[in-house]
């Protein structure tokens, strides 16, 4: 068998996984896409090991390490996703990114409102700020 067949298949798998990482918003689907990319790398490692006729089978040994790393990554990744889902109620990456840090208007120098949340030019803004402080 020619080396071109497994490398083309591996490149298609890797591109599919890359599209999944870049386009998906669900954290579990992103993890599955990363696994697809790792499997494409494994396919290339084994194909080049067979093609080079390495006596040490270094490609297959590296493939075993990659499989072990992928198993650890999926275990830890799923644990993190489940913990975030229990706390936030969603696994949507965009919603998690928006809710990552609570917004404090007093820390934002570009926010036109003062510490009370009312615009600074509004009449009585200073009294509201003093009353809430």
């Amino acid at each position: 068998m020619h080396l071109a067949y497994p490398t083309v298949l591996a490149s298609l798998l890797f591109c599919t996984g890359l599209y999944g990482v870049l386009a998906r918003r669900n954290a579990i689907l992103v993890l599955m896409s990363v696994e697809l990319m790792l499997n494409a790398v494994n396919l290339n490692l084994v194909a080049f090991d067979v093609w080079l006729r390495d006596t040490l089978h270094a490609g297959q040994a590296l493939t075993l390490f990659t499989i072990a790393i992928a198993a650890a990554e999926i275990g830890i990744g799923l644990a993190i996703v489940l913990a975030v889902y229990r706390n936030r109620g969603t696994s949507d990456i965009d919603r998690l990114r928006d809710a990552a840090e609570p917004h404090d208007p007093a820390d934002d120098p570009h926010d036109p409102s003062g510490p009370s949340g009312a615009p600074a030019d509004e009449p009585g803004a200073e009294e509201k700020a003093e009353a809430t402080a």
Side-chain angles (χ1 to χ4, degrees):
M1 181 164 55
H2 295 287
L3 182 63
Y5 299 129
T7 53
V8 167
L9 178 64
S11 65
L12 289 174
L13 283 174
F14 191 85
C15 289
T16 305
L18 185 65
Y19 173 74
V21 167
L22 296 176
R24 299 290 179 192
R25 298 296 173 234
N26 190 346
I28 295 175
L29 292 178
V30 170
L31 286 174
M32 289 174 56
S33 298
V34 169
E35 291 294 323
L36 196 62
M37 292 167 56
L38 286 172
N39 285 330
V41 170
N42 286 340
L43 182 61
N44 267 334
L45 284 171
V46 171
F48 277 99
D49 182 55
V50 170
W51 182 65
L52 293 173
R53 292 187 175 94
D54 187 15
T55 57
L56 295 176
H57 298 292
Q60 294 179 17
L62 287 174
T63 300
L64 289 175
F65 284 118
T66 308
I67 290 171
I69 289 171
E73 177 258 333
I74 199 70
I76 292 171
L78 282 177
I80 291 171
V81 168
L82 286 175
V84 168
Y85 183 77
R86 285 181 183 169
N87 288 336
R88 302 280 173 99
T90 184
S91 64
D92 188 12
I93 295 174
D94 287 336
R95 289 185 187 168
L96 295 176
R97 189 179 312 139
D98 292 340
E101 292 290 327
H103 180 69
D104 188 12
D107 293 340
D108 193 4
H110 302 291
D111 193 10
S113 63
S116 65
D121 58 342
E122 182 179 312
E126 289 87 21
E127 292 87 18
K128 288 181 185 176
E130 291 173 8
T132 58

